[in-house]
PDB file of all heavy atoms in Angstrom:
ATOM      1  N   GLU A  87       3.313-241.471 -22.352  1.00  0.00           N
ATOM      2  CA  GLU A  87       3.520-242.864 -22.754  1.00  0.00           C
ATOM      3  C   GLU A  87       2.584-243.806 -22.003  1.00  0.00           C
ATOM      4  O   GLU A  87       2.025-244.736 -22.593  1.00  0.00           O
ATOM      5  CB  GLU A  87       4.979-243.274 -22.530  1.00  0.00           C
ATOM      6  CG  GLU A  87       5.920-242.758 -23.574  1.00  0.00           C
ATOM      7  CD  GLU A  87       5.570-243.247 -24.975  1.00  0.00           C
ATOM      8  OE1 GLU A  87       5.376-244.460 -25.175  1.00  0.00           O
ATOM      9  OE2 GLU A  87       5.487-242.401 -25.870  1.00  0.00           O
ATOM     10  N   ILE A  88       2.402-243.573 -20.722  1.00  0.00           N
ATOM     11  CA  ILE A  88       1.485-244.408 -19.939  1.00  0.00           C
ATOM     12  C   ILE A  88       0.067-244.248 -20.456  1.00  0.00           C
ATOM     13  O   ILE A  88      -0.662-245.236 -20.625  1.00  0.00           O
ATOM     14  CB  ILE A  88       1.572-244.049 -18.439  1.00  0.00           C
ATOM     15  CG1 ILE A  88       2.943-244.461 -17.894  1.00  0.00           C
ATOM     16  CG2 ILE A  88       0.446-244.710 -17.650  1.00  0.00           C
ATOM     17  CD1 ILE A  88       3.249-243.923 -16.503  1.00  0.00           C
ATOM     18  N   ALA A  89      -0.340-243.026 -20.754  1.00  0.00           N
ATOM     19  CA  ALA A  89      -1.681-242.779 -21.298  1.00  0.00           C
ATOM     20  C   ALA A  89      -1.851-243.485 -22.636  1.00  0.00           C
ATOM     21  O   ALA A  89      -2.891-244.100 -22.893  1.00  0.00           O
ATOM     22  CB  ALA A  89      -1.915-241.278 -21.454  1.00  0.00           C
ATOM     23  N   ARG A  90      -0.837-243.437 -23.476  1.00  0.00           N
ATOM     24  CA  ARG A  90      -0.903-244.127 -24.775  1.00  0.00           C
ATOM     25  C   ARG A  90      -1.006-245.633 -24.591  1.00  0.00           C
ATOM     26  O   ARG A  90      -1.740-246.303 -25.311  1.00  0.00           O
ATOM     27  CB  ARG A  90       0.319-243.774 -25.611  1.00  0.00           C
ATOM     28  CG  ARG A  90       0.270-242.377 -26.164  1.00  0.00           C
ATOM     29  CD  ARG A  90       1.512-242.051 -26.948  1.00  0.00           C
ATOM     30  NE  ARG A  90       1.372-240.768 -27.605  1.00  0.00           N
ATOM     31  CZ  ARG A  90       2.338-240.178 -28.276  1.00  0.00           C
ATOM     32  NH1 ARG A  90       3.529-240.749 -28.386  1.00  0.00           N
ATOM     33  NH2 ARG A  90       2.131-239.012 -28.854  1.00  0.00           N
ATOM     34  N   ASP A  91      -0.269-246.186 -23.642  1.00  0.00           N
ATOM     35  CA  ASP A  91      -0.340-247.621 -23.360  1.00  0.00           C
ATOM     36  C   ASP A  91      -1.758-248.020 -22.933  1.00  0.00           C
ATOM     37  O   ASP A  91      -2.287-249.031 -23.392  1.00  0.00           O
ATOM     38  CB  ASP A  91       0.645-248.011 -22.256  1.00  0.00           C
ATOM     39  CG  ASP A  91       2.088-247.949 -22.711  1.00  0.00           C
ATOM     40  OD1 ASP A  91       2.348-247.932 -23.932  1.00  0.00           O
ATOM     41  OD2 ASP A  91       2.968-247.921 -21.818  1.00  0.00           O
ATOM     42  N   ILE A  92      -2.346-247.226 -22.068  1.00  0.00           N
ATOM     43  CA  ILE A  92      -3.701-247.512 -21.582  1.00  0.00           C
ATOM     44  C   ILE A  92      -4.696-247.461 -22.730  1.00  0.00           C
ATOM     45  O   ILE A  92      -5.555-248.348 -22.867  1.00  0.00           O
ATOM     46  CB  ILE A  92      -4.091-246.532 -20.458  1.00  0.00           C
ATOM     47  CG1 ILE A  92      -3.238-246.806 -19.213  1.00  0.00           C
ATOM     48  CG2 ILE A  92      -5.581-246.636 -20.128  1.00  0.00           C
ATOM     49  CD1 ILE A  92      -3.334-245.722 -18.148  1.00  0.00           C
ATOM     50  N   LEU A  93      -4.588-246.450 -23.564  1.00  0.00           N
ATOM     51  CA  LEU A  93      -5.493-246.326 -24.712  1.00  0.00           C
ATOM     52  C   LEU A  93      -5.308-247.467 -25.696  1.00  0.00           C
ATOM     53  O   LEU A  93      -6.279-248.014 -26.220  1.00  0.00           O
ATOM     54  CB  LEU A  93      -5.287-244.983 -25.412  1.00  0.00           C
ATOM     55  CG  LEU A  93      -5.809-243.771 -24.659  1.00  0.00           C
ATOM     56  CD1 LEU A  93      -5.343-242.490 -25.330  1.00  0.00           C
ATOM     57  CD2 LEU A  93      -7.325-243.811 -24.573  1.00  0.00           C
ATOM     58  N   GLN A  94      -4.068-247.853 -25.941  1.00  0.00           N
ATOM     59  CA  GLN A  94      -3.804-248.961 -26.858  1.00  0.00           C
ATOM     60  C   GLN A  94      -4.445-250.248 -26.335  1.00  0.00           C
ATOM     61  O   GLN A  94      -5.056-250.998 -27.097  1.00  0.00           O
ATOM     62  CB  GLN A  94      -2.304-249.150 -27.061  1.00  0.00           C
ATOM     63  CG  GLN A  94      -1.981-250.240 -28.071  1.00  0.00           C
ATOM     64  CD  GLN A  94      -0.488-250.420 -28.261  1.00  0.00           C
ATOM     65  OE1 GLN A  94       0.313-250.023 -27.423  1.00  0.00           O
ATOM     66  NE2 GLN A  94      -0.120-251.038 -29.357  1.00  0.00           N
ATOM     67  N   ASP A  95      -4.340-250.502 -25.053  1.00  0.00           N
ATOM     68  CA  ASP A  95      -4.959-251.682 -24.455  1.00  0.00           C
ATOM     69  C   ASP A  95      -6.482-251.632 -24.598  1.00  0.00           C
ATOM     70  O   ASP A  95      -7.115-252.633 -24.935  1.00  0.00           O
ATOM     71  CB  ASP A  95      -4.590-251.808 -22.979  1.00  0.00           C
ATOM     72  CG  ASP A  95      -3.152-252.242 -22.769  1.00  0.00           C
ATOM     73  OD1 ASP A  95      -2.519-252.732 -23.739  1.00  0.00           O
ATOM     74  OD2 ASP A  95      -2.655-252.092 -21.643  1.00  0.00           O
ATOM     75  N   ALA A  96      -7.064-250.486 -24.332  1.00  0.00           N
ATOM     76  CA  ALA A  96      -8.522-250.345 -24.417  1.00  0.00           C
ATOM     77  C   ALA A  96      -9.016-250.566 -25.847  1.00  0.00           C
ATOM     78  O   ALA A  96     -10.036-251.229 -26.063  1.00  0.00           O
ATOM     79  CB  ALA A  96      -8.946-248.968 -23.918  1.00  0.00           C
ATOM     80  N   ILE A  97      -8.287-250.040 -26.806  1.00  0.00           N
ATOM     81  CA  ILE A  97      -8.662-250.226 -28.205  1.00  0.00           C
ATOM     82  C   ILE A  97      -8.560-251.702 -28.582  1.00  0.00           C
ATOM     83  O   ILE A  97      -9.429-252.247 -29.260  1.00  0.00           O
ATOM     84  CB  ILE A  97      -7.782-249.350 -29.123  1.00  0.00           C
ATOM     85  CG1 ILE A  97      -8.103-247.873 -28.889  1.00  0.00           C
ATOM     86  CG2 ILE A  97      -7.980-249.721 -30.585  1.00  0.00           C
ATOM     87  CD1 ILE A  97      -7.078-246.913 -29.490  1.00  0.00           C
ATOM     88  N   GLY A  98      -7.515-252.367 -28.117  1.00  0.00           N
ATOM     89  CA  GLY A  98      -7.319-253.786 -28.421  1.00  0.00           C
ATOM     90  C   GLY A  98      -8.385-254.682 -27.819  1.00  0.00           C
ATOM     91  O   GLY A  98      -8.701-255.742 -28.352  1.00  0.00           O
ATOM     92  N   GLU A  99      -8.981-254.266 -26.721  1.00  0.00           N
ATOM     93  CA  GLU A  99      -9.997-255.072 -26.043  1.00  0.00           C
ATOM     94  C   GLU A  99     -11.423-254.708 -26.468  1.00  0.00           C
ATOM     95  O   GLU A  99     -12.376-255.381 -26.069  1.00  0.00           O
ATOM     96  CB  GLU A  99      -9.865-254.890 -24.533  1.00  0.00           C
ATOM     97  CG  GLU A  99      -8.562-255.455 -23.998  1.00  0.00           C
ATOM     98  CD  GLU A  99      -8.312-255.089 -22.553  1.00  0.00           C
ATOM     99  OE1 GLU A  99      -9.113-254.339 -21.970  1.00  0.00           O
ATOM    100  OE2 GLU A  99      -7.296-255.548 -22.009  1.00  0.00           O
ATOM    101  N   ALA A 100     -11.596-253.688 -27.269  1.00  0.00           N
ATOM    102  CA  ALA A 100     -12.932-253.200 -27.648  1.00  0.00           C
ATOM    103  C   ALA A 100     -13.769-254.284 -28.327  1.00  0.00           C
ATOM    104  O   ALA A 100     -14.968-254.398 -28.074  1.00  0.00           O
ATOM    105  CB  ALA A 100     -12.813-251.982 -28.557  1.00  0.00           C
ATOM    106  N   TYR A 101     -13.144-255.089 -29.152  1.00  0.00           N
ATOM    107  CA  TYR A 101     -13.851-256.153 -29.884  1.00  0.00           C
ATOM    108  C   TYR A 101     -14.589-257.093 -28.929  1.00  0.00           C
ATOM    109  O   TYR A 101     -15.691-257.540 -29.199  1.00  0.00           O
ATOM    110  CB  TYR A 101     -12.840-256.925 -30.732  1.00  0.00           C
ATOM    111  CG  TYR A 101     -13.375-258.181 -31.344  1.00  0.00           C
ATOM    112  CD1 TYR A 101     -14.109-258.143 -32.519  1.00  0.00           C
ATOM    113  CD2 TYR A 101     -13.148-259.423 -30.758  1.00  0.00           C
ATOM    114  CE1 TYR A 101     -14.598-259.303 -33.097  1.00  0.00           C
ATOM    115  CE2 TYR A 101     -13.627-260.585 -31.321  1.00  0.00           C
ATOM    116  CZ  TYR A 101     -14.358-260.520 -32.497  1.00  0.00           C
ATOM    117  OH  TYR A 101     -14.855-261.658 -33.055  1.00  0.00           O
ATOM    118  N   TYR A 102     -13.986-257.367 -27.790  1.00  0.00           N
ATOM    119  CA  TYR A 102     -14.551-258.328 -26.846  1.00  0.00           C
ATOM    120  C   TYR A 102     -15.709-257.765 -26.026  1.00  0.00           C
ATOM    121  O   TYR A 102     -16.380-258.499 -25.322  1.00  0.00           O
ATOM    122  CB  TYR A 102     -13.457-258.862 -25.920  1.00  0.00           C
ATOM    123  CG  TYR A 102     -12.403-259.593 -26.704  1.00  0.00           C
ATOM    124  CD1 TYR A 102     -11.178-259.000 -26.984  1.00  0.00           C
ATOM    125  CD2 TYR A 102     -12.652-260.863 -27.221  1.00  0.00           C
ATOM    126  CE1 TYR A 102     -10.214-259.663 -27.731  1.00  0.00           C
ATOM    127  CE2 TYR A 102     -11.703-261.531 -27.971  1.00  0.00           C
ATOM    128  CZ  TYR A 102     -10.490-260.929 -28.221  1.00  0.00           C
ATOM    129  OH  TYR A 102      -9.551-261.584 -28.965  1.00  0.00           O
ATOM    130  N   LYS A 103     -15.952-256.488 -26.147  1.00  0.00           N
ATOM    131  CA  LYS A 103     -17.057-255.864 -25.423  1.00  0.00           C
ATOM    132  C   LYS A 103     -18.363-255.927 -26.215  1.00  0.00           C
ATOM    133  O   LYS A 103     -19.404-255.530 -25.727  1.00  0.00           O
ATOM    134  CB  LYS A 103     -16.712-254.428 -25.076  1.00  0.00           C
ATOM    135  CG  LYS A 103     -15.526-254.359 -24.123  1.00  0.00           C
ATOM    136  CD  LYS A 103     -15.291-252.965 -23.634  1.00  0.00           C
ATOM    137  CE  LYS A 103     -14.061-252.898 -22.776  1.00  0.00           C
ATOM    138  NZ  LYS A 103     -14.221-253.416 -21.450  1.00  0.00           N
ATOM    139  N   LEU A 104     -18.309-256.447 -27.418  1.00  0.00           N
ATOM    140  CA  LEU A 104     -19.492-256.572 -28.265  1.00  0.00           C
ATOM    141  C   LEU A 104     -20.418-257.653 -27.700  1.00  0.00           C
ATOM    142  O   LEU A 104     -20.015-258.797 -27.526  1.00  0.00           O
ATOM    143  CB  LEU A 104     -19.078-256.908 -29.696  1.00  0.00           C
ATOM    144  CG  LEU A 104     -20.189-257.101 -30.707  1.00  0.00           C
ATOM    145  CD1 LEU A 104     -21.026-255.826 -30.840  1.00  0.00           C
ATOM    146  CD2 LEU A 104     -19.612-257.483 -32.052  1.00  0.00           C
ATOM    147  N   ASP A 105     -21.638-257.281 -27.407  1.00  0.00           N
ATOM    148  CA  ASP A 105     -22.642-258.205 -26.872  1.00  0.00           C
ATOM    149  C   ASP A 105     -23.223-259.016 -28.028  1.00  0.00           C
ATOM    150  O   ASP A 105     -24.113-258.556 -28.738  1.00  0.00           O
ATOM    151  CB  ASP A 105     -23.740-257.422 -26.151  1.00  0.00           C
ATOM    152  CG  ASP A 105     -24.756-258.318 -25.472  1.00  0.00           C
ATOM    153  OD1 ASP A 105     -24.665-259.555 -25.612  1.00  0.00           O
ATOM    154  OD2 ASP A 105     -25.648-257.771 -24.801  1.00  0.00           O
ATOM    155  N   THR A 106     -22.708-260.236 -28.219  1.00  0.00           N
ATOM    156  CA  THR A 106     -23.097-261.048 -29.374  1.00  0.00           C
ATOM    157  C   THR A 106     -24.539-261.542 -29.290  1.00  0.00           C
ATOM    158  O   THR A 106     -25.130-261.885 -30.309  1.00  0.00           O
ATOM    159  CB  THR A 106     -22.155-262.250 -29.546  1.00  0.00           C
ATOM    160  OG1 THR A 106     -22.134-263.005 -28.337  1.00  0.00           O
ATOM    161  CG2 THR A 106     -20.752-261.776 -29.892  1.00  0.00           C
ATOM    162  N   ASP A 107     -25.104-261.571 -28.109  1.00  0.00           N
ATOM    163  CA  ASP A 107     -26.496-262.003 -27.967  1.00  0.00           C
ATOM    164  C   ASP A 107     -27.474-260.906 -28.387  1.00  0.00           C
ATOM    165  O   ASP A 107     -28.628-261.183 -28.693  1.00  0.00           O
ATOM    166  CB  ASP A 107     -26.796-262.396 -26.516  1.00  0.00           C
ATOM    167  CG  ASP A 107     -26.011-263.625 -26.086  1.00  0.00           C
ATOM    168  OD1 ASP A 107     -25.688-264.461 -26.953  1.00  0.00           O
ATOM    169  OD2 ASP A 107     -25.709-263.739 -24.884  1.00  0.00           O
ATOM    170  N   LYS A 108     -26.998-259.705 -28.419  1.00  0.00           N
ATOM    171  CA  LYS A 108     -27.860-258.553 -28.690  1.00  0.00           C
ATOM    172  C   LYS A 108     -28.003-258.259 -30.188  1.00  0.00           C
ATOM    173  O   LYS A 108     -28.975-257.654 -30.606  1.00  0.00           O
ATOM    174  CB  LYS A 108     -27.283-257.328 -27.973  1.00  0.00           C
ATOM    175  CG  LYS A 108     -28.155-256.118 -27.986  1.00  0.00           C
ATOM    176  CD  LYS A 108     -27.544-255.021 -27.137  1.00  0.00           C
ATOM    177  CE  LYS A 108     -28.394-253.778 -27.138  1.00  0.00           C
ATOM    178  NZ  LYS A 108     -27.828-252.710 -26.316  1.00  0.00           N
ATOM    179  N   TYR A 109     -27.024-258.702 -30.998  1.00  0.00           N
ATOM    180  CA  TYR A 109     -27.002-258.354 -32.417  1.00  0.00           C
ATOM    181  C   TYR A 109     -26.959-259.606 -33.292  1.00  0.00           C
ATOM    182  O   TYR A 109     -26.381-260.618 -32.918  1.00  0.00           O
ATOM    183  CB  TYR A 109     -25.779-257.487 -32.727  1.00  0.00           C
ATOM    184  CG  TYR A 109     -25.712-256.242 -31.880  1.00  0.00           C
ATOM    185  CD1 TYR A 109     -24.847-256.159 -30.789  1.00  0.00           C
ATOM    186  CD2 TYR A 109     -26.515-255.158 -32.157  1.00  0.00           C
ATOM    187  CE1 TYR A 109     -24.799-255.018 -30.007  1.00  0.00           C
ATOM    188  CE2 TYR A 109     -26.470-254.010 -31.381  1.00  0.00           C
ATOM    189  CZ  TYR A 109     -25.611-253.952 -30.304  1.00  0.00           C
ATOM    190  OH  TYR A 109     -25.563-252.826 -29.524  1.00  0.00           O
ATOM    191  N   SER A 110     -27.544-259.485 -34.468  1.00  0.00           N
ATOM    192  CA  SER A 110     -27.499-260.594 -35.431  1.00  0.00           C
ATOM    193  C   SER A 110     -26.076-260.722 -35.975  1.00  0.00           C
ATOM    194  O   SER A 110     -25.235-259.834 -35.771  1.00  0.00           O
ATOM    195  CB  SER A 110     -28.461-260.318 -36.590  1.00  0.00           C
ATOM    196  OG  SER A 110     -27.973-259.247 -37.387  1.00  0.00           O
ATOM    197  N   ASP A 111     -25.809-261.809 -36.680  1.00  0.00           N
ATOM    198  CA  ASP A 111     -24.476-262.011 -37.253  1.00  0.00           C
ATOM    199  C   ASP A 111     -24.114-260.888 -38.222  1.00  0.00           C
ATOM    200  O   ASP A 111     -22.984-260.415 -38.235  1.00  0.00           O
ATOM    201  CB  ASP A 111     -24.393-263.363 -37.967  1.00  0.00           C
ATOM    202  CG  ASP A 111     -24.362-264.539 -37.000  1.00  0.00           C
ATOM    203  OD1 ASP A 111     -24.096-264.316 -35.794  1.00  0.00           O
ATOM    204  OD2 ASP A 111     -24.604-265.671 -37.449  1.00  0.00           O
ATOM    205  N   ASP A 112     -25.077-260.484 -39.051  1.00  0.00           N
ATOM    206  CA  ASP A 112     -24.817-259.394 -39.998  1.00  0.00           C
ATOM    207  C   ASP A 112     -24.531-258.086 -39.270  1.00  0.00           C
ATOM    208  O   ASP A 112     -23.629-257.329 -39.656  1.00  0.00           O
ATOM    209  CB  ASP A 112     -26.003-259.199 -40.947  1.00  0.00           C
ATOM    210  CG  ASP A 112     -26.140-260.334 -41.954  1.00  0.00           C
ATOM    211  OD1 ASP A 112     -25.142-261.046 -42.193  1.00  0.00           O
ATOM    212  OD2 ASP A 112     -27.243-260.497 -42.500  1.00  0.00           O
ATOM    213  N   GLU A 113     -25.270-257.814 -38.214  1.00  0.00           N
ATOM    214  CA  GLU A 113     -25.047-256.593 -37.432  1.00  0.00           C
ATOM    215  C   GLU A 113     -23.678-256.639 -36.754  1.00  0.00           C
ATOM    216  O   GLU A 113     -22.961-255.635 -36.731  1.00  0.00           O
ATOM    217  CB  GLU A 113     -26.148-256.414 -36.388  1.00  0.00           C
ATOM    218  CG  GLU A 113     -27.498-256.068 -36.980  1.00  0.00           C
ATOM    219  CD  GLU A 113     -28.625-256.111 -35.961  1.00  0.00           C
ATOM    220  OE1 GLU A 113     -28.564-256.930 -35.016  1.00  0.00           O
ATOM    221  OE2 GLU A 113     -29.567-255.326 -36.123  1.00  0.00           O
ATOM    222  N   GLN A 114     -23.329-257.801 -36.239  1.00  0.00           N
ATOM    223  CA  GLN A 114     -22.016-257.957 -35.597  1.00  0.00           C
ATOM    224  C   GLN A 114     -20.893-257.710 -36.599  1.00  0.00           C
ATOM    225  O   GLN A 114     -19.914-257.026 -36.283  1.00  0.00           O
ATOM    226  CB  GLN A 114     -21.871-259.355 -35.010  1.00  0.00           C
ATOM    227  CG  GLN A 114     -22.719-259.596 -33.793  1.00  0.00           C
ATOM    228  CD  GLN A 114     -22.565-261.006 -33.286  1.00  0.00           C
ATOM    229  OE1 GLN A 114     -21.441-261.484 -33.111  1.00  0.00           O
ATOM    230  NE2 GLN A 114     -23.674-261.683 -33.054  1.00  0.00           N
ATOM    231  N   ASP A 115     -21.040-258.267 -37.799  1.00  0.00           N
ATOM    232  CA  ASP A 115     -20.020-258.063 -38.830  1.00  0.00           C
ATOM    233  C   ASP A 115     -19.854-256.589 -39.159  1.00  0.00           C
ATOM    234  O   ASP A 115     -18.734-256.100 -39.311  1.00  0.00           O
ATOM    235  CB  ASP A 115     -20.376-258.836 -40.104  1.00  0.00           C
ATOM    236  CG  ASP A 115     -20.253-260.339 -39.935  1.00  0.00           C
ATOM    237  OD1 ASP A 115     -19.596-260.788 -38.968  1.00  0.00           O
ATOM    238  OD2 ASP A 115     -20.823-261.065 -40.775  1.00  0.00           O
ATOM    239  N   LEU A 116     -20.960-255.871 -39.264  1.00  0.00           N
ATOM    240  CA  LEU A 116     -20.914-254.449 -39.566  1.00  0.00           C
ATOM    241  C   LEU A 116     -20.262-253.664 -38.423  1.00  0.00           C
ATOM    242  O   LEU A 116     -19.409-252.797 -38.655  1.00  0.00           O
ATOM    243  CB  LEU A 116     -22.322-253.919 -39.839  1.00  0.00           C
ATOM    244  CG  LEU A 116     -22.436-252.472 -40.292  1.00  0.00           C
ATOM    245  CD1 LEU A 116     -21.652-252.238 -41.580  1.00  0.00           C
ATOM    246  CD2 LEU A 116     -23.894-252.105 -40.477  1.00  0.00           C
ATOM    247  N   ILE A 117     -20.628-253.994 -37.200  1.00  0.00           N
ATOM    248  CA  ILE A 117     -20.049-253.324 -36.032  1.00  0.00           C
ATOM    249  C   ILE A 117     -18.546-253.595 -35.964  1.00  0.00           C
ATOM    250  O   ILE A 117     -17.754-252.677 -35.728  1.00  0.00           O
ATOM    251  CB  ILE A 117     -20.753-253.767 -34.733  1.00  0.00           C
ATOM    252  CG1 ILE A 117     -22.200-253.256 -34.726  1.00  0.00           C
ATOM    253  CG2 ILE A 117     -19.995-253.276 -33.503  1.00  0.00           C
ATOM    254  CD1 ILE A 117     -23.068-253.875 -33.647  1.00  0.00           C
TER     255      ILE A 117
END
């Protein structure tokens, strides 16, 4: 259960790890 909680948190935060300066808007949308 603890491992699942950790994974769920990591998945939920993945969106915020996207480097928006590195990719165009279209690339960001696709990612």
Side-chain angles (χ1 to χ4, degrees):
E87 283 300 310
I88 292 169
R90 286 178 173 175
D91 289 342
I92 292 168
L93 288 170
Q94 183 180 20
D95 287 344
I97 292 166
E99 294 171 356
Y101 170 82
Y102 298 103
K103 296 187 184 284
L104 179 60
D105 185 356
T106 56
D107 294 332
K108 189 174 179 180
Y109 304 102
S110 70
D111 288 344
D112 289 339
E113 290 171 328
Q114 289 178 50
D115 290 343
L116 185 59
I117 293 168

